[in-house]
Amino acid sequence: MSEPTGKYSITMPRDIAEAARARSGPSGLSAYVAAAVARQIERDNLNELIAVAEAEHGPVTDEEIQALRDQLQQARREQPHDGADAA
């Protein structure tokens, strides 16, 4: 079941609107814009969480980020590629 919708009027630069319309495909411009706004809200929420965590624990260093990227790459290499564990 989908969420109830409302009709809104927004203003945006014409070139952005036309590019969005060209990319929106069969779902239409409204669905394309709604998905873009939903992604932005997710990013805003993540940025807020990061700010709270950094205020409490200090900023994450470049070395910590790289170590986590290395761990993720290693975990991906160790995963089976046959799809047997896919749910």
Side-chain angles (χ1 to χ4, degrees), residues 42-73:
E42 289 174 354
R43 288 179 175 165
D44 293 344
N45 289 340
L46 285 171
N47 284 335
E48 289 171 8
L49 287 172
I50 290 167
V52 168
E54 286 186 338
E56 184 173 336
H57 304 287
V60 180
T61 66
D62 290 340
E63 292 79 15
E64 290 169 321
I65 292 170
Q66 187 58 50
L68 291 171
R69 284 183 176 148
D70 293 344
Q71 288 177 13
L72 180 59
Q73 286 178 342

